[in-house]
Amino acid sequence: MQNNALMKNKILAVGSVALDTIKTPFGKVKEALGGSATYFSAGARFFSPVSVVAVVGTDFPKKHLALMKRLGVDTSNISIEEGKTFRWTGEYDFDLNSAKTLKTELNVFANFKPIINPENRFCRVVFLANIDPEIQHAVLSQVKRPSLSACDTMNYWIQNKKKSLVGLLKKVDIFLCNEGEARELSGEYNLIQAARWLLSKGPRIAVIKKGEHGVLCFSRESVFSAPAFLLESVFDPTGAGDTFAGGFIGYLAGAPSRINESVIRKAIIYGTVLASYNVESFSLKRIAGLGRLDIEKRYKAFQVLTQF
Ligand code: AMP
């Protein structure tokens, strides 16, 4: 068994590993590598080691698992089961902020019962990326006393598993969702009211993502508002929220000091930087080729952009 000290920064992330078929005004792609846990890990790996918990079918191309491994992601908790991989089909019109889901095929995820291998049960940080809240509960309950837990979701689960999702809010430190989901879950149109509702259900921090309009981060004592990084060409927004979460949680997990307001604000900007790279191409094409220096370069450019 791995030494507990070595698990200090390691993130255990559950979520979808998927084959995505997507159309945007600028192009289309069929059965490309996607999924909430895939994008999350591709962002978080710059700051902290990540192990992904997921299931794929026997049709899942081996080259996708090889890519995740090449990026340094621990894939030992991804099981391969008889059947088809989770598939998501979506499209965007010129308002790239909201995806239209055309089809969600859960396939092998429909009956997935995650079993975390013994050494990963000691991970100190747990990220429950967008997936069935019952799977999120099952993973969280197997981890021994995490020091930080966070959770994301999407309208599909708000509509189909709301009770289970609200139950999860009690158990996590940070909750992330986009503005439409915050409104739908809370029943409040105003985002301050929606955040207040979310915080009243348990988490210490609620992060509301607003696509090209940036992000709001609420705690009981403070609010931080950050714009998105200004880009000349946005190609495909799929996975922006997940790579944002990767940069945000990855930075928090590996933060040199205790988590305080200043560390949280830096983490929000690293998340913003990761998301901005992700939307420049389909699938993982852009972020898979990045190095830590690219991240720092854009982080500095963001500081220049927002200084006054
Ligand atoms: P984002 O654009 O950050 O919200 O994430 C998009 C990713 O989430 C895509 O790669 C999809 O494969 C994945 N996805 C879409 N619908 C679901 C769902 N209902 N549960 C889990 N993952 C999903």
Side-chain angles (χ1 to χ4, degrees):
M1 189 174 295
Q2 220 167 331
N3 182 320
N4 275 4
L6 294 177
M7 307 299 278
K8 198 166 168 271
N9 301 332
K10 190 169 184 181
I11 306 170
L12 188 69
V14 64
S16 55
V17 171
L19 296 174
D20 287 348
T21 297
I22 301 161
K23 204 166 133 200
T24 78
F26 317 110
K28 52 186 177 187
V29 75
K30 195 166 182 274
E31 304 208 333
L33 174 61
S36 56
T38 311
Y39 281 113
F40 173 83
S41 61
R45 72 189 164 104
F46 289 104
F47 308 96
S48 306
V50 195
S51 182
V52 167
V53 181
V55 60
V56 293
T58 39
D59 60 348
F60 191 67
K62 297 221 169 18
K63 64 175 185 194
H64 293 337
L65 281 178
L67 171 66
M68 290 175 80
K69 281 186 194 153
R70 209 163 55 243
L71 297 181
V73 176
D74 171 11
T75 58
S76 64
N77 286 298
I78 300 183
S79 46
I80 302 173
E81 282 173 21
E82 202 54 57
K84 287 174 82 181
T85 300
F86 176 99
R87 279 168 171 73
W88 180 70
T89 306
E91 69 177 25
Y92 302 83
D93 58 23
F94 276 96
D95 172 12
L96 291 172
N97 286 329
S98 52
K100 188 163 152 213
T101 293
L102 300 178
K103 221 190 302 173
T104 301
E105 298 163 271
L106 296 178
N107 297 329
V108 286
F109 259 110
N111 298 310
F112 180 47
K113 304 266 175 293
I115 297 178
I116 312 301
N117 63 36
E119 70 181 40
N120 283 315
R121 292 179 187 205
F122 291 92
C123 283
R124 303 301 309 282
V125 181
V126 186
F127 185 66
L128 311 169
N130 169 32
I131 196 65
D132 186 334
E134 279 159 36
I135 297 178
Q136 295 177 314
H137 275 286
V139 169
L140 190 59
S141 66
Q142 290 176 59
V143 182
K144 315 268 180 225
R145 292 187 298 280
S147 57
L148 181 69
S149 57
C151 159
D152 196 346
T153 195
M154 131 177 228
N155 51 5
Y156 185 88
W157 303 113
I158 297 171
Q159 285 147 22
N160 293 299
K161 300 269 175 95
K162 185 167 174 181
K163 202 165 162 221
S164 175
L165 178 61
V166 173
L168 197 63
L169 293 185
K170 280 193 210 83
K171 301 183 182 170
V172 294
D173 301 303
I174 303 178
F175 180 68
L176 302 96
C177 63
N178 70 32
E179 56 185 319
E181 290 149 4
R183 291 185 172 116
E184 190 171 349
L185 186 56
S186 65
E188 301 282 357
Y189 179 79
N190 180 282
L191 292 180
I192 300 174
Q193 310 273 12
R196 201 169 286 144
W197 185 92
L198 292 170
L199 294 174
S200 78
K201 299 292 168 204
R204 286 188 287 129
I205 294 171
V207 177
I208 300 183
K209 299 164 282 178
K210 301 190 296 160
E212 66 175 324
H213 304 298
V215 61
L216 297 170
C217 178
F218 294 89
S219 70
R220 282 183 190 88
E221 302 80 36
S222 64
V223 189
F224 178 52
S225 170
F229 186 77
L230 205 54
L231 286 173
E232 206 164 316
S233 72
V234 174
F235 200 74
D236 172 25
T238 308
D242 305 313
T243 43
F244 169 88
F248 176 60
I249 299 295
Y251 182 78
L252 289 181
S257 63
R258 213 175 55 80
I259 295 180
N260 56 26
E261 180 70 23
S262 148
V263 172
I264 288 171
R265 289 183 179 215
K266 280 189 187 137
I268 291 278
I269 305 309
Y270 276 112
T272 300
V273 165
L274 260 305
S276 75
Y277 274 122
N278 178 63
V279 300
E280 290 180 337
S281 76
F282 274 125
S283 191
L284 265 62
K285 286 208 167 54
R286 185 74 169 110
I287 39 175
L290 295 176
R292 184 63 202 251
L293 280 180
D294 299 303
I295 312 290
E296 293 306 329
K297 205 169 132 202
R298 201 166 269 190
Y299 183 88
K300 292 210 170 70
F302 188 94
Q303 282 178 322
V304 172
L305 182 73
T306 55
Q307 216 159 35
F308 65 92

